[in-house]
Amino acid sequence: MNWLPDYNIILASKSPRRQELLASLGIQFSVKTKEVDEVYPQELAKEEVAVYLAELKAKAFQNDLNENDLLITADTIVCLAQEILGKPADYKGAYAMLEKLSGRHHEVITGVCLTTLNKSVSFFAQTDVQFKTLTHDEIDYYIREFSPYDKAGSYGIQEWIGAIGITNINGSFYNVMGLPVQKLYQEILNF
């Protein structure tokens, strides 16, 4: 089904998970990336941070889009109460994050921005996630075997830690992976 014949879709993400999820919609797309300093104003509400960062990534391409290009940018954050957990720098950082998430509820918020030369639409999706209490050995094994240094909150729901550690989710599983594909599909149809 070619439901987007008029657009040249560009995904601005190095994430293999986002690429896999977008491909699952049957969309043909190219991948282009630019380095963006992911800094946001501290006064933003957590729901606004992910959207702000997705829009920041889109702005990096503002002079590079052609007439029929549709750029998709996204950013996923993990929030524990009001604290935003980014990507860990090393083993120690990953361990500290997973220890914080252990036995607790947190939110995963993905902001998405759809951009053409003439239009831009942004939205977010939120999923509530509950971890069981993780043991030292479980955290250590996961970090050593899966190296979650490219993941907000130091984990991938689709990996071992998700299978053994997540007891409940309320919202989109795919949002936690990094792209709320059902909402994205609807937003593109409405675009």
Side-chain angles (χ1 to χ4, degrees):
M1 174 173 112
N2 190 7
W3 52 279
L4 285 171
D6 297 334
Y7 288 115
N8 172 39
I9 308 294
I10 302 165
L11 177 64
S13 177
K14 295 179 202 171
S15 166
R17 294 164 300 282
R18 285 198 184 111
Q19 294 170 24
E20 174 188 337
L21 290 171
L22 188 58
S24 75
L25 291 178
I27 295 175
Q28 292 189 354
F29 61 94
S30 59
V31 174
K32 294 182 182 175
T33 61
K34 290 191 177 204
E35 291 301 318
V36 175
D37 194 12
E38 296 182 15
V39 177
Y40 55 88
Q42 293 302 308
E43 67 274 6
L44 291 180
K46 59 187 176 183
E47 296 82 7
E48 298 171 314
V49 171
V51 170
Y52 179 90
L53 292 173
E55 290 172 347
L56 191 65
K57 292 174 181 180
K59 286 177 186 166
F61 288 87
Q62 67 187 9
N63 296 323
D64 299 332
L65 295 179
N66 295 314
E67 188 64 38
N68 65 334
D69 289 345
L70 172 58
L71 178 72
I72 301 171
T73 55
D75 195 85
T76 301
I77 61 171
V78 171
C79 302
L80 182 63
Q82 295 303 311
E83 181 183 4
I84 295 175
L85 303 179
K87 297 173 184 172
D90 53 23
Y91 177 93
K92 184 177 177 181
Y95 192 97
M97 283 186 201
L98 289 170
E99 196 171 45
K100 281 183 181 180
L101 293 173
S102 176
R104 297 182 68 189
H105 160 273
H106 65 278
E107 296 93 28
V108 178
I109 302 168
T110 300
V112 180
C113 184
L114 305 176
T115 307
T116 64
L117 280 177
N118 305 313
K119 186 176 177 183
S120 183
V121 172
S122 300
F123 61 93
F124 73 92
Q126 178 175 320
T127 304
D128 298 322
V129 181
Q130 175 71 44
F131 262 110
K132 75 173 190 119
T133 300
L134 300 166
T135 67
H136 163 77
D137 289 342
E138 289 167 340
I139 294 172
D140 179 69
Y141 171 80
Y142 175 67
I143 296 169
R144 291 190 187 285
E145 293 298 316
F146 292 87
S147 302
Y149 306 116
D150 64 336
K151 296 173 179 70
S154 301
Y155 78 92
I157 193 171
Q158 72 283 4
E159 295 175 339
W160 182 83
I161 198 84
I164 66 99
I166 293 177
T167 60
N168 188 43
I169 70 166
N170 183 15
S172 169
F173 174 88
Y174 299 111
N175 181 52
V176 184
M177 280 182 68
L179 197 63
V181 288
Q182 190 279 331
K183 194 164 187 177
L184 175 61
Y185 174 76
Q186 288 302 320
E187 291 288 344
I188 291 174
L189 287 180
N190 296 336
F191 196 76

